[in-house]
Amino acid sequence: MELSKLPLVFLLISHIHSGHTEETLKAKVSIKPAQHVFRGETVTLRCDIDGGGITSWQYSWYKDDSLYTYSELQEHTFTSVNESVTGKYSCYGAERGGSRTSNISDEVTLTVSETPKAKVSVKPDHRVFRGETVTLRCDIDGEGVTSWRYVWYKYSAFYSSSELQEHTFSSVTESDAGKYFCYGAERGGSRTSNINDVVTLTVSDRAQAGLSVSPQKWLTEGDSVTLICEVYGSSTEWTFSWFTLNASSDNKYNYQKLSGSSRGAGGNYTVSSAALKHTGVYVCRAERGKPAYNTTYSNKQPVWVTVVSPRVSLIISPSRTQHFTFVSLSLSCEDQSNSDRWRVRRYTESEQLQDCSSSVWGSETGSTCTINSTNTSDTGVYWCQSESGEKYHPVNITVHSGVILESPVHPVTEGDTLTLRCLYQHSTPSNLRADFYKDGSLIQNQTTEMIISTVSKSHEGFYYCKHSERGESPKSWISVRVSPSESQISVLHTLSSVLAVCPYLLVTVVLIFKCCRMRGETSD
């Protein structure tokens, strides 16, 4: 029950008016362990009265200007505080068996708050890779303690203790993986924070980067293409770089970084308008942290750009994109000037970038490369490349031991006729009566050849054939080249018409001018 301060005020006034001149005694409040404490702690308020020679006091305690309690004990203890005891406390003493009192002490504020909670964060990520630099950080939320000692546990066993908030693994290994938590202990005091939730650190083998292409790797000049790089199993704080892959004369690879290719989150590198120079084999890599930690180079990803009228053509004999095994195949680079500075290069399904002049798979004569006996390992993309690195006319060649599809090497022009045949090496004749498919859908069945008399852009796609006994062929992409548009023809027609009538217009203008001049002279 709280009591008013009014009796104390009357008592002091009566002392003044009755002529008492004794020294006024001063009371002072102290709080242990501190003025800011945490819920559940034991807190002691102590009232000290200096001077006067009085040894026996009755202590009165006030909270927020109202009498809180009184006692003959100098200390008042809260055994397990909570927020309800927060307030401003003061005290004064009254002499037991006498009339003397002290002044009321200055107020001292006691603050009770929830026990601070420790929280662990991991940088760069909870999942890291062997060799990375990893930092565990212990943050303690709450006021009242300004100086902590940080205690770390791993799998509920003491791990380390430090005055530093962070614990760093300079080159993490699998042995550092585990479940970690921390708490704070007050330096020079007895208070502690709560223990945080457990954080799991996973350490994996070296990080692997993966590269994909969207929407596809076969492009027509002017198309847009995006290289997408990602780190398997991780997506935090990576910076990405992209490279083109080149092979030297001794078939050793070197990586040429694309200018301005370092990007932040997202890992996308976009070419808005593809050109011939973008034909090539690409890889990517990611890094993060200081010092920088690098992933492995990604898988190789080719991008092929074709043009409507390349100045250099790859001539293939036999002239088709699919070929049987154990046959001869000739590939020649031909340009308008009959130069022999072009060489045939290839990129096989085994991700090998090879030059015909420095390999065992073919023999080179000028700009012609001959494969004497084809093998399925010869499947890949072939193109013509100059000494300066220009790349022209990539063609996808498939070598297959069973049924193959006979399709044109070069893009088909709109309006032309397209003929497809299904061939088998060990039959006479080699033409098979088969079913033909486009993009997985049957379009013609039981025929020796499929003919599209007037090709349009809608006929572009992946084609293959299937025989009931011999099996099916690999797929081949049929590209359709757009013919000159009607608008272009119309412009040309209009221009030619204008040019045709120009002489007549000129004569008409001259005659009109002379006529007007003669009329003027007559009127004069």
Side-chain angles (χ1 to χ4, degrees):
M1 178 180 176
E2 294 186 347
L3 304 174
S4 171
K5 276 187 176 180
L6 197 56
L8 175 61
V9 174
F10 286 153
L11 177 62
L12 294 176
I13 293 173
S14 66
H15 277 210
I16 294 170
H17 286 279
S18 61
H20 285 274
T21 59
E22 294 95 340
E23 178 185 0
T24 302
L25 305 178
K26 181 72 174 178
K28 181 181 180 182
V29 174
S30 59
I31 302 178
K32 284 189 176 183
Q35 287 182 240
H36 192 146
V37 294
F38 305 133
R39 186 193 301 163
E41 287 193 74
T42 296
V43 178
T44 298
L45 306 179
R46 180 182 176 88
C47 186
D48 287 298
I49 301 173
D50 296 330
I54 300 174
T55 58
S56 182
W57 294 98
Q58 175 87 15
Y59 299 93
S60 297
W61 289 97
Y62 284 81
K63 177 188 174 187
D64 298 329
D65 295 331
S66 295
L67 182 63
Y68 184 72
T69 186
Y70 53 86
S71 170
E72 295 180 1
L73 299 177
Q74 194 172 7
E75 295 180 342
H76 179 75
T77 299
F78 302 98
T79 56
S80 182
V81 294
N82 56 39
E83 287 82 349
S84 67
V85 301
T86 294
K88 296 179 179 180
Y89 289 86
S90 58
C91 73
Y92 82 92
E95 182 182 12
R96 279 192 291 164
S99 58
R100 298 183 63 188
T101 60
S102 71
N103 280 349
I104 296 178
S105 69
D106 294 330
E107 291 181 324
V108 175
T109 301
L110 173 63
T111 302
V112 180
S113 61
E114 189 176 355
T115 303
K117 178 126 184 200
K119 181 181 178 183
V120 173
S121 57
V122 184
K123 280 198 172 185
D125 195 8
H126 290 250
R127 180 175 180 182
V128 294
F129 300 92
R130 185 196 308 152
E132 281 198 89
T133 297
V134 179
T135 299
L136 304 178
R137 180 183 175 91
C138 187
D139 285 297
I140 300 174
D141 297 328
E143 301 176 350
V145 176
T146 58
S147 183
W148 293 102
R149 170 168 286 276
Y150 299 91
V151 184
W152 290 95
Y153 280 78
K154 178 183 178 183
Y155 290 126
S156 301
F158 174 77
Y159 185 72
S160 71
S161 176
S162 171
E163 294 179 2
L164 299 177
Q165 205 170 359
E166 296 180 341
H167 179 78
T168 299
F169 304 97
S170 58
S171 182
V172 74
T173 66
E174 285 84 348
S175 65
D176 296 316
K179 298 181 183 292
Y180 290 86
F181 62 87
C182 72
Y183 75 88
E186 183 183 16
R187 281 194 283 168
S190 59
R191 290 178 292 175
T192 62
S193 72
N194 282 340
I195 294 176
N196 72 293
D197 296 330
V198 171
V199 171
T200 301
L201 176 65
T202 303
V203 181
S204 303
D205 202 355
R206 190 172 180 189
Q208 305 285 326
L211 180 63
S212 58
V213 173
S214 179
Q216 61 182 6
K217 62 184 178 182
W218 283 94
L219 307 168
T220 301
E221 192 175 28
D223 288 348
S224 175
V225 64
T226 299
L227 304 175
I228 304 168
C229 191
E230 61 179 338
V231 179
Y232 296 126
S234 179
S235 59
T236 305
E237 296 188 7
W238 293 103
T239 298
F240 299 89
S241 298
W242 287 263
F243 305 81
T244 53
L245 190 63
N246 299 304
S248 58
S249 58
D250 57 356
N251 281 335
K252 290 184 178 179
Y253 293 146
N254 60 76
Y255 300 90
Q256 182 177 353
K257 187 175 182 180
L258 301 183
S259 59
S261 72
S262 292
R263 309 287 175 88
N268 291 351
Y269 183 87
T270 299
V271 177
S272 57
S273 181
L276 279 172
K277 66 180 181 180
H278 296 118
T279 288
V281 179
Y282 294 83
V283 295
C284 71
R285 190 174 68 177
E287 69 173 47
R288 70 179 177 186
K290 291 183 180 181
Y293 171 85
N294 292 303
T295 67
T296 58
Y297 284 104
S298 71
N299 56 297
K300 304 178 185 70
Q301 189 63 254
V303 171
W304 313 112
V305 183
T306 60
V307 295
V308 174
S309 300
R311 66 186 186 93
V312 180
S313 296
L314 180 63
I315 306 301
I316 300 171
S317 180
S319 183
R320 57 179 182 246
T321 58
Q322 295 187 16
H323 300 268
F324 297 118
T325 54
F326 308 115
V327 297
S328 177
L329 179 62
S330 174
L331 306 103
S332 301
C333 293
E334 295 184 4
D335 68 358
Q336 298 172 358
S337 62
N338 294 319
S339 170
D340 63 353
R341 69 188 184 93
W342 298 94
R343 296 290 181 268
V344 176
R345 303 199 77 180
R346 76 177 187 178
Y347 180 76
T348 64
E349 286 189 336
S350 59
E351 298 190 344
Q352 294 298 311
L353 192 61
Q354 297 173 329
D355 193 331
C356 184
S357 64
S358 59
S359 66
V360 297
W361 57 271
S363 58
E364 186 178 58
T365 304
S367 292
T368 299
C369 180
T370 302
I371 302 175
N372 293 317
S373 181
T374 56
N375 193 286
T376 54
S377 62
D378 293 315
T379 295
V381 177
Y382 292 72
W383 68 91
C384 297
Q385 184 163 322
S386 68
E387 295 175 355
S388 62
E390 295 175 281
K391 304 177 184 70
Y392 278 91
H393 204 174
V395 176
N396 191 30
I397 292 178
T398 302
V399 178
H400 190 57
S401 59
V403 175
I404 66 171
L405 179 72
E406 184 180 71
S407 61
V409 172
H410 306 295
V412 183
T413 303
E414 276 188 321
D416 286 355
T417 298
L418 170 65
T419 301
L420 303 177
R421 295 183 181 88
C422 201
L423 308 180
Y424 184 64
Q425 188 172 15
H426 305 295
S427 66
T428 304
S430 60
N431 281 25
L432 293 175
R433 182 173 292 275
D435 299 332
F436 289 83
Y437 294 80
K438 174 182 179 285
D439 297 329
S441 299
L442 178 66
I443 53 174
Q444 197 166 333
N445 64 343
Q446 293 302 301
T447 180
T448 54
E449 63 180 20
M450 191 190 81
I451 300 174
I452 300 175
S453 56
T454 305
V455 171
S456 67
K457 193 69 177 174
S458 64
H459 291 114
E460 196 168 69
F462 283 101
Y463 289 78
Y464 66 96
C465 64
K466 185 175 182 180
H467 187 268
S468 58
E469 296 178 2
R470 307 298 185 188
E472 68 180 55
S473 72
K475 297 177 177 64
S476 277
W477 174 261
I478 304 297
S479 180
V480 178
R481 182 168 50 201
V482 179
S483 60
S485 65
E486 292 182 5
S487 61
Q488 290 175 309
I489 295 173
S490 175
V491 169
L492 291 173
H493 179 73
T494 304
L495 183 60
S496 62
S497 300
V498 170
L499 291 174
V501 302
C502 269
Y504 301 102
L505 290 174
L506 183 61
V507 170
T508 302
V509 170
V510 171
L511 288 175
I512 293 173
F513 176 75
K514 283 189 174 183
C515 218
C516 291
R517 188 174 180 183
M518 289 175 65
R519 285 182 180 179
E521 290 176 354
T522 303
S523 61
D524 290 342

